[in-house]
Amino acid sequence: MDVTSRFDTQVPAITRRRFGQWGLAATASGVAGCGGGGGGEPAVEPPVKAGTLEMVAGALGGGGFALQQGAMARLPADLTGPAFNAQGDLQFVGLYGWDCRVGCRNRQGVSSFARTYPWSFRGYLFDALGRYLVETGAGSVHFLQGETPVLLAGGGSNTALVDGVGARASVFRFDSPLLAQDGLVYFIDTDHRYQPVLRTLGTDGAVKTLLPLPRGSQLLESATGGVRRYTKFATEPSEWADLVLEGGAYQWRVLPTQWPFDLWTPLRKVHGAQDAYWALAGEQGAREFRIAQLDLSGRTLAVGWKVRGGQATVVQGPSNMTPTSLFVACSDGTAEGGTEIVECRLEFPSTAVYRWLGVQSNPGEVDGQNQARFSFLRGVEALPDGAGGLILLENQRGNSSDAAPVPALRSVSAAGQVSTWSLEPRGNRIAIAYGHLIAYDAQDRALVRTSTNGQSAWQTWVSSSHFASGGRHDPGVQVLRTDTTGLLWFATRYSPQAGDGDVYFGRANGNALVGTIDANGQVKIVAGDTQALYTPQSYPPLAQRPWYMDIADMAFEGGTAQVSWVLCNRVELDGSTTLVRFHPELVRIDTQGIQRFPLSLEIDRNLPEFFREPFKQICVIPGRPGEVFLSSACGVHRWTQAKGLELLAGQAAPTPGGVLLGPLPAGLNLVKFLAPGVDRRSLYVGSENSVLKLVLPD
């Protein structure tokens, strides 16, 4: 086994020997990886609609915020404080990653998002003066004056509950707030012994503690417009109780009730009814919920609706809302999902659910031509199948946050027909080489293979200690690509950032290697030193780092110049091995040597961790020499030496916003993969649980 690397000192010779042998021959299997390409272009007519983003399979719907023609089209899954004021205007706070915004939809249907707030921002309700109350995360309650938070109460002692006015009061928690008819906001706080207590907040910022209450309680409006609690907790009696003032002291008066505590959870009081509540049946994480009206005896007054989603939250409606209508915020319960607010109406003798704001997140596991669903939440690998379609590895999927995620191999034809393989996948990196589908199994540190149609069982093919990188959870092989000659390449990547490696049992050492595996399973190291194990403290400075470190992806153009491309997300660390920033770089390798081109892209720290690296993948297309296509968090870019980096689709700054089809730049939301399309004028893009086609301009 060749483990000696002289790549940096003898570039031309090593390049010809390892990165060479390009020619124009097709791969051994007739299929290449993302950057591979074949010897000739598929005989497919070019798309008619040049410069567009089109749907191939799946359904739009995902996380983040999206505005379409100035109106809100998407709401994040983490939605707090949805509430109507007396005029019928809806307000709420949405959180996506670190991006926190206030949203509003007025009674005329005009909607908008306010500026970004700190991630700890939370919304609650309107008080008696019509002010929207929020919490900033610093143990204090504010109201919004325009877009500016103004302190109402809190900020006092951080060791004990202290009553008082404004900043002299202390507030630890602001749970289950309820505006009662006396004009006070009642809420549940928790003292230093974790004992829940009932407190009040006045319009002047006065905070007063009333009495303890059981764990597992929530506050609801009573029959007289006062305060009622509903308690359901393992160590507490399940009961209803009203707050009463007797003999100058507050106390709870337990109500006789046969409410079915094990079946129904109350959401809010029905307007105009004395002791009736909208209630919900179904476990968090289920695919749908049932909503109905019940009285305290458990009698069903009106059978309501079924709403989709893994989580459902009642939206506190305006006081003039009819007793036959309810607004419910539904989401699939995943961080990358979206929220849909629906209006549920009783239209006797039937019921109806109307979409009111937002969109469904549309995850799933459905095959077919027009109703296909994907689940790209936990990542996906995509390979061109050689016939104009794709083979997808959905790393882990599941319809709810509680379901065990299940990986799957799926095929997508050029016409959008989706089918799931019966063969369960192995590993989390795939390639097609030597007539087989090959995957990297990190647990065994081995490459396994099966037939390209998935009709045979997986077999262990090549095992090697060089497949382990020693980085975060020891991911090992992070790049697995086939070049234009059919040779299979791999790259490992040691990540030196604080938090990577095994932080509980000692940080692992590791290295960065680039190698090949031939048809006989022989592993050869092309770049990197297998004996030089790095630590965060010994990681080479940025200016001295070899080209083969920090590799995120590789692509192979081939041709007479035998061109290879390498994407590196260079890591800059401070003295304590904490990430400062990424410095993306594109490396071009041919028979004459190496050229390095720095890339520049603004990174939004509000993005989920997986998308914080500047670029995720690169891709080249046969018949377009010198063009490299790159995916960022929310965009697809083209790089040429003449023009540098150009945005083709999505957003230049990665701010999640939703997929908008049509003429470029259109819109993209958290790009999951990039792969060659059906011809030289198209790319496949995975975004928002959908497979899209980007029709390239000339």
Side-chain angles (χ1 to χ4, degrees):
M1 181 181 296
D2 180 5
V3 297
T4 303
S5 173
R6 296 170 292 164
F7 202 100
D8 292 311
T9 57
Q10 299 183 19
V11 171
I14 300 296
T15 302
R16 294 189 185 97
R17 182 158 55 95
R18 298 287 186 253
F19 278 80
Q21 305 175 19
W22 299 97
L24 294 176
T27 65
S29 65
V31 184
C34 180
E41 301 174 34
V44 180
E45 290 296 325
V48 176
K49 299 179 181 178
T52 59
L53 188 66
E54 302 174 354
M55 173 67 70
V56 176
L60 302 182
F65 303 90
L67 285 171
Q68 292 183 9
Q69 297 180 345
M72 285 186 292
R74 181 184 320 285
L75 310 178
D78 192 346
L79 209 67
T80 59
F84 289 92
N85 62 15
Q87 291 75 41
D89 303 325
L90 174 73
Q91 198 148 344
F92 60 86
V93 174
L95 177 66
Y96 185 78
W98 299 90
D99 191 6
C100 186
R101 302 170 188 263
V102 175
C104 178
R105 183 185 190 273
N106 65 22
R107 55 192 176 279
Q108 286 81 30
V110 178
S111 59
S112 63
F113 289 118
R115 65 178 177 85
T116 300
Y117 294 88
W119 68 270
S120 55
F121 215 71
R122 291 293 182 270
Y124 289 104
L125 78 169
F126 289 95
D127 69 1
L129 299 181
R131 302 174 300 188
Y132 187 64
L133 302 187
V134 298
E135 186 180 18
T136 63
S140 57
V141 181
H142 295 67
F143 64 87
L144 287 183
Q145 187 169 295
E147 294 186 359
T148 303
V150 178
L151 178 67
L152 181 60
S157 169
N158 60 2
T159 60
L161 296 182
V162 177
D163 292 349
V165 178
R168 295 193 297 273
S170 62
V171 176
F172 289 171
R173 303 284 296 272
F174 195 66
D175 289 341
S176 193
L178 170 71
L179 175 62
Q181 284 191 2
D182 60 9
L184 297 176
V185 173
Y186 292 77
F187 66 98
I188 300 174
D189 207 338
T190 306
D191 65 16
H192 64 284
R193 298 168 300 177
Y194 302 103
Q195 170 62 50
V197 295
L198 181 68
R199 310 183 80 187
T200 61
L201 172 63
T203 55
D204 59 351
V207 177
K208 183 179 180 180
T209 303
L210 301 186
L211 77 168
L213 42 66
R215 291 178 174 85
S217 297
Q218 60 177 299
L219 303 183
L220 294 165
E221 183 183 352
S222 73
T224 60
V227 177
R228 178 173 287 174
R229 68 168 167 84
Y230 168 84
T231 301
K232 182 181 179 182
F233 194 68
T235 60
E236 304 285 355
S238 296
E239 61 187 16
W240 290 85
D242 280 350
L243 179 69
V244 296
L245 180 63
E246 293 183 350
Y250 285 98
Q251 57 183 300
W252 293 109
R253 178 184 295 164
V254 178
L255 304 177
T257 173
Q258 288 79 48
W259 182 278
F261 291 94
D262 58 334
L263 297 177
W264 292 92
T265 300
L267 300 175
R268 53 157 292 183
K269 187 175 178 294
V270 177
H271 283 299
Q274 176 138 1
D275 266 329
Y277 290 86
W278 295 110
L280 180 144
E283 297 294 329
Q284 294 289 333
R287 297 193 180 194
E288 65 180 18
F289 293 90
R290 288 185 297 136
I291 296 177
Q293 289 183 13
L294 277 71
D295 63 15
L296 294 188
S297 70
R299 181 168 56 100
T300 300
L301 303 178
V303 178
W305 317 268
K306 290 183 178 180
V307 295
R308 293 178 51 187
Q311 293 179 347
T313 304
V314 64
V315 180
Q316 182 67 39
S319 58
N320 58 358
M321 177 185 290
T322 67
T324 59
S325 185
L326 182 71
F327 289 89
V328 180
C330 314
S331 71
D332 64 3
T334 64
E336 204 170 312
T339 295
E340 180 186 20
I341 298 179
V342 297
E343 182 181 4
C344 303
R345 298 181 195 166
L346 282 177
E347 298 178 344
F348 297 104
S350 63
T351 61
V353 176
Y354 299 94
R355 178 177 298 175
W356 194 73
L357 191 63
V359 295
Q360 298 170 351
S361 55
N362 288 315
E365 306 168 0
V366 182
D367 291 343
Q369 180 77 39
N370 300 315
Q371 299 298 320
R373 296 290 185 271
F374 303 97
S375 183
F376 295 160
L377 175 62
R378 298 176 182 267
V380 60
E381 290 271 305
L383 292 175
D385 63 5
L390 293 172
I391 296 175
L392 301 180
L393 167 61
E394 292 182 19
N395 286 330
Q396 294 177 318
R397 63 178 183 170
N399 274 333
S400 74
S401 57
D402 296 330
V406 179
L409 281 165
R410 309 182 76 184
S411 295
V412 183
S413 73
Q417 178 70 35
V418 179
S419 58
T420 300
W421 292 18
S422 59
L423 180 70
E424 293 187 2
R426 285 180 62 181
N428 59 355
R429 294 291 184 268
I430 56 173
I432 295 178
Y434 315 124
H436 291 86
L437 178 67
I438 297 172
Y440 172 65
D441 190 330
Q443 183 174 358
D444 296 332
R445 295 185 179 180
L447 295 180
V448 296
R449 65 183 183 180
T450 183
S451 59
T452 55
N453 58 11
Q455 297 301 308
S456 62
W458 292 102
Q459 293 181 334
T460 300
W461 179 45
V462 179
S463 299
S464 175
S465 61
H466 301 316
F467 293 160
S469 73
R472 186 175 213 173
H473 308 303
D474 196 15
V477 173
Q478 295 196 50
V479 180
L480 198 62
R481 299 293 188 204
T482 310
D483 69 18
T484 55
T485 70
L487 186 63
L488 183 62
W489 290 76
F490 74 92
T492 66
R493 177 184 179 189
Y494 171 68
S495 181
Q497 303 172 51
D500 290 351
D502 196 338
V503 297
Y504 296 104
F505 301 100
R507 189 181 304 279
N509 299 331
N511 52 20
L513 303 173
V514 177
T516 63
I517 307 103
D518 65 18
N520 297 317
Q522 293 298 308
V523 178
K524 293 187 178 182
I525 302 302
V526 173
D529 186 347
T530 60
Q531 304 302 315
L533 298 181
Y534 297 103
T535 68
Q537 291 73 28
S538 66
Y539 210 60
L542 190 63
Q544 302 174 17
R545 206 164 301 162
W547 71 268
Y548 56 82
M549 302 185 76
D550 305 316
I551 289 181
D553 200 8
M554 298 188 296
F556 300 91
E557 184 180 306
T560 57
Q562 304 175 9
V563 178
S564 305
W565 298 93
V566 177
L567 170 66
C568 297
N569 285 325
R570 303 292 185 196
V571 178
E572 179 185 345
L573 306 174
D574 65 11
S576 61
T577 69
T578 300
L579 175 68
V580 176
R581 64 181 62 87
F582 287 102
H583 295 265
E585 183 178 81
L586 195 59
V587 180
R588 184 184 188 275
I589 303 173
D590 64 12
T591 56
Q592 302 304 311
I594 294 176
Q595 294 175 282
R596 300 169 67 163
F597 304 97
L599 304 173
S600 178
L601 184 71
E602 178 185 354
I603 298 302
D604 188 345
R605 293 184 178 271
N606 294 324
L607 287 171
E609 180 180 1
F610 178 76
F611 295 96
R612 291 181 190 169
E613 292 195 4
F615 297 98
K616 301 304 297 182
Q617 282 187 296
I618 58 175
C619 195
V620 295
I621 298 177
R624 300 183 78 111
E627 294 182 74
V628 181
F629 300 92
L630 306 91
S631 67
S632 62
C634 293
V636 175
H637 310 256
R638 175 173 57 188
W639 182 92
T640 58
Q641 195 163 353
K643 296 184 178 180
L645 200 64
E646 302 173 88
L647 177 68
L648 293 183
Q651 297 77 252
T655 53
V659 169
L660 303 178
L661 303 177
L664 298 182
L668 290 170
N669 182 38
L670 298 185
V671 176
K672 305 298 173 55
F673 68 78
L674 196 63
V678 297
D679 54 35
R680 67 178 297 273
R681 295 183 61 191
S682 62
L683 279 172
Y684 284 122
V685 182
S687 179
E688 208 169 278
N689 292 330
S690 298
V691 177
L692 309 167
K693 182 169 67 175
L694 195 162
V695 185
L696 300 170
D698 290 328

